[in-house]
Amino acid sequence: MISCEVFVACLPYSDYSFVMAVKSQTVGDVLYALGRCLSHLGGVPMALVPDNFKAAVVEASPYEPKINQALEDFANHYQTAVVPARVRKPKDKALVENQVKLIYSRVYAKLRNMTFFDIESLNEAISEKTREHNQTRMQQKPYCREELFLAEEKQHLKQLPTQPFELKHYRVSTVAKNNYIYFSEDKHYYSVPYTLIGQKVKVIYTRSMVHIYANQKPVAVHPRDYRAGEYSTHRNHLCSEHRYYLDRSPEYYLKKAKKRSQVLYELIDLIFKQDKYPEQLYKSCEGLFSLYRKAELKNFELACRIAIENQYYSYRFVKNILKNNMAQASEYLPLKPLPTHNNLRGKAHFQQLETNNKHKQQQQQQ
């Protein structure tokens, strides 16, 4: 079981509510939920009134509370103000406190016996139950929260900015010899121009993008990828030695072999007809090209021909032939097949032998 936090917000006039589950109360998760809330509302209120938790307020004060820098940046991006509720003053947040009670009965209670395997499916269910809550008629009122919000309150919200706010994080990384940086938070690799190998670069990342800077100049931009152990690559970042690894394919090796030797081409064609993992086949081809460069052409081609005729389609087999000087004979004579004859012993032959043996045993007993 994985625990999570629930973000609850409501508007002051219509009491229209927004509810969303997040992984934690960290600044990143809170601001992400707040951004989703404003996007759902389709506008921005004049002020945000958060509680005094650490992601919102660094230092509480009844007069000038110190706002978390990230939340202040968020407010500046959306052109709104942050006015935290006073400490131990429930009247400042009476509306949302009442909403939390209603959400417990109208959302939590209805989902308590359901199992969710990811936070996205949980939020889909929460959104559906919250919509039902907003569409439920309020007591002694001929309308629901959603109707009041759409009719009288939404028009007073300020327009959303064209780009949503994304919290920025900063770190410094070293470009490895393969011209990638390792992003430890997601255990992912991002390519950087090979001219920066060995240098320190500044990484600025958000929930969706990774920006890389060297000497205060942008050098790479990648969509953020959360797949552990994988690589995000821009081809123009790679030097020619590294770039060819992206071009590898059976056609690449066959074309390369055909320019060098017809026998090598035939052997590589047979190698790719094997049911093996592609990377294994690529390494076998690389090994054969290495042997081609080191061995005499006549001996190498004869070794390839021996491998083909004996159906050993591998680098190791060709290497052993060359190593043991088996290819230096002027002519290779393959094994001749046995001549055809009628001296065949099959199942019927051995059954007959068994029957004869039984008869002999019976005669001896008599």
Side-chain angles (χ1 to χ4, degrees), residues 217-233:
K217 295 181 180 179
V219 294
V221 180
H222 295 272
R224 189 167 175 184
D225 195 325
Y226 294 87
R227 297 175 299 163
E230 298 293 329
Y231 290 77
S232 293
T233 306

Side-chain angles (χ1 to χ4, degrees), residues 187-252:
K187 298 180 179 179
H188 193 84
Y189 298 86
Y190 294 97
S191 67
V192 177
Y194 69 92
T195 53
L196 298 172
I197 289 175
Q199 297 186 30
K200 299 284 186 181
V201 293
K202 186 176 183 179
V203 182
I204 302 177
Y205 62 97
T206 66
R207 293 179 70 96
S208 61
M209 299 297 294
V210 175
H211 300 262
I212 304 171
Y213 294 82
N215 300 321
Q216 300 181 345
K217 295 181 180 179
V219 294
V221 180
H222 295 272
R224 189 167 175 184
D225 195 325
Y226 294 87
R227 297 175 299 163
E230 298 293 329
Y231 290 77
S232 293
T233 306
H234 288 326
R235 288 180 54 84
N236 59 345
H237 290 168
L238 306 181
C239 62
S240 58
E241 182 179 352
H242 293 156
R243 193 177 301 164
Y244 97 97
Y245 280 98
L246 298 181
D247 298 327
R248 292 184 303 170
S249 66
E251 292 75 19
Y252 167 80

Side-chain angles (χ1 to χ4, degrees), residues 122-215:
L122 171 60
N123 276 322
E124 288 179 7
I126 288 176
S127 177
E128 181 181 349
K129 298 302 178 184
T130 304
R131 182 171 60 252
E132 293 175 2
H133 161 66
N134 285 324
Q135 293 175 349
T136 300
R137 289 284 188 269
M138 293 188 285
Q139 292 184 357
Q140 301 178 354
K141 303 289 183 180
Y143 48 78
C144 64
R145 293 173 176 80
E146 186 178 273
E147 290 171 338
L148 185 60
F149 164 67
L150 294 174
E152 301 187 28
E153 192 169 27
K154 185 174 183 178
Q155 59 186 314
H156 296 289
L157 298 177
K158 294 190 294 183
Q159 189 174 2
L160 288 167
T162 54
Q163 296 292 330
F165 175 82
E166 287 193 305
L167 180 64
K168 294 180 180 179
H169 301 273
Y170 303 84
R171 66 172 57 198
V172 176
S173 297
T174 302
V175 182
K177 292 182 179 180
N178 62 351
N179 60 265
Y180 286 85
I181 61 165
Y182 177 61
F183 189 68
S184 58
E185 186 165 339
D186 302 330
K187 298 180 179 179
H188 193 84
Y189 298 86
Y190 294 97
S191 67
V192 177
Y194 69 92
T195 53
L196 298 172
I197 289 175
Q199 297 186 30
K200 299 284 186 181
V201 293
K202 186 176 183 179
V203 182
I204 302 177
Y205 62 97
T206 66
R207 293 179 70 96
S208 61
M209 299 297 294
V210 175
H211 300 262
I212 304 171
Y213 294 82
N215 300 321

